[in-house]
Amino acid sequence: MKKFAAFLAIVLAVTFSAGMVIGAAAPDKVTIKEIQKSRPAVEFNHKAHETRAKACKDCHHKNEPGKEQKCSACHKAKTEGKVVELKEAFHTTCKDCHKKMAKGPTKCDDCHKK
């Protein structure tokens, strides 16, 4: 019985810890500042997008669950080679999803508020 209680305590601790790490990692609102040279920063409600996306990988396509990174970790402002440039990555991921769902901003000034 003691072994079962210890096992149950470990399972509960791991489950609770995983929930805290995953839940604490994502902020409610995100400001994308990396491409501010010609347009204002983009602010969006990350929490709302979490509930609409099927999975984190819909946006954070190459990351393991719970280890998501900013897009700029791989996609740079100016890219040569196989990696998609940061601006194009945002526009492809965000804008195309908004068009597909027929919901959300799709024009420049809708995201880049002055």
Side-chain angles (χ1 to χ4, degrees), residues 9-113:
I10 291 170
V11 170
L12 290 172
V14 169
T15 304
F16 179 74
S17 297
M20 292 297 288
V21 169
I22 293 169
D28 289 349
K29 295 199 179 217
V30 173
T31 302
I32 301 169
K33 303 176 198 173
E34 289 88 352
I35 52 174
Q36 276 185 264
K37 293 174 185 165
S38 60
R39 294 267 182 191
V42 174
E43 293 183 9
F44 73 98
N45 186 329
H46 187 274
K47 196 140 196 96
H49 283 79
E50 281 180 337
T51 60
R52 291 183 188 118
K54 292 177 185 169
C56 297
K57 68 179 178 149
D58 290 349
C59 297
H60 301 277
H61 57 99
K62 290 191 175 188
N63 300 149
E64 296 175 38
K67 296 183 179 181
E68 289 81 13
Q69 299 176 341
K70 290 183 171 185
C71 298
S72 60
C74 298
H75 301 279
K76 304 299 176 196
K78 291 285 181 187
T79 306
E80 293 181 21
K82 296 179 182 178
V83 178
V84 175
E85 188 175 324
L86 184 61
K87 177 182 173 183
E88 186 179 336
F90 282 128
H91 287 164
T92 300
T93 302
C94 305
K95 194 172 164 182
D96 287 359
C97 183
H98 290 172
K99 285 181 179 178
K100 180 181 170 187
M101 296 187 73
K103 187 173 185 178
T106 57
K107 295 185 179 166
C108 301
D109 292 337
D110 292 343
C111 294
H112 300 277
K113 307 271 186 212

